[in-house]
Amino acid sequence: MAITKYICHRKPERSFHIHGHQFPVCARCTGFYTGLLVYLIYTLIYKHGYDLNMLIISIILMIPVAIDGFTQYFGLRESTNNLRFITGFIGGIGLIIFLKIIIRWILYVL
């Protein structure tokens, strides 16, 4: 999994382990990718529009992961892997909604 070193820091203390084997990405990235996948599956079953309200919701969903990441980065507190996963999951949903809106708006304008 050499490509994972380019998309995640993969620090062992910030990664999940199963039976002594480290996940290929950290807890936060695991949450992001899980959130992305869950939302994409959700949209296959339930359709909804992508308007300004959804853009605002997507930004709100990305706030917890930003707060968790920045407060940890600046040494204000130490996050846990479970919190990293949860905020990553929520942020992943927000990110995919945001990307879908931007892509649709770009395609609509072009």
Side-chain angles (χ1 to χ4, degrees):
M1 295 237 166
I3 194 166
T4 57
K5 69 181 180 181
Y6 298 110
I7 58 174
C8 179
H9 58 69
R10 302 185 68 225
K11 292 181 180 177
E13 68 276 10
R14 294 187 183 172
S15 300
F16 292 122
H17 294 80
I18 294 183
H19 302 293
H21 298 283
Q22 180 180 336
F23 272 36
V25 292
C26 72
R28 187 170 288 127
C29 289
T30 301
F32 260 107
Y33 300 133
T34 304
L36 291 166
L37 182 63
V38 167
Y39 184 78
L40 289 174
I41 292 169
Y42 171 82
T43 58
L44 291 174
I45 300 167
Y46 302 102
K47 305 291 183 197
H48 62 81
Y50 293 95
D51 55 8
L52 182 59
N53 289 332
M54 285 302 289
L55 179 64
I56 293 168
I57 289 169
S58 73
I59 293 169
I60 290 170
L61 288 172
M62 290 188 279
I63 291 172
V65 74
I67 291 171
D68 185 43
F70 281 118
T71 57
Q72 180 175 317
Y73 179 78
F74 289 114
L76 301 174
R77 57 185 234 354
E78 185 65 29
S79 188
T80 65
N81 283 346
N82 289 335
L83 183 57
R84 288 182 191 109
F85 176 83
I86 291 167
T87 58
F89 183 86
I90 294 167
I93 293 171
L95 179 63
I96 193 64
I97 293 170
F98 184 83
L99 291 173
K100 286 183 91 167
I101 291 169
I102 297 304
I103 290 168
R104 285 173 188 257
W105 284 357
I106 289 170
L107 293 176
Y108 179 75
V109 171
L110 296 177

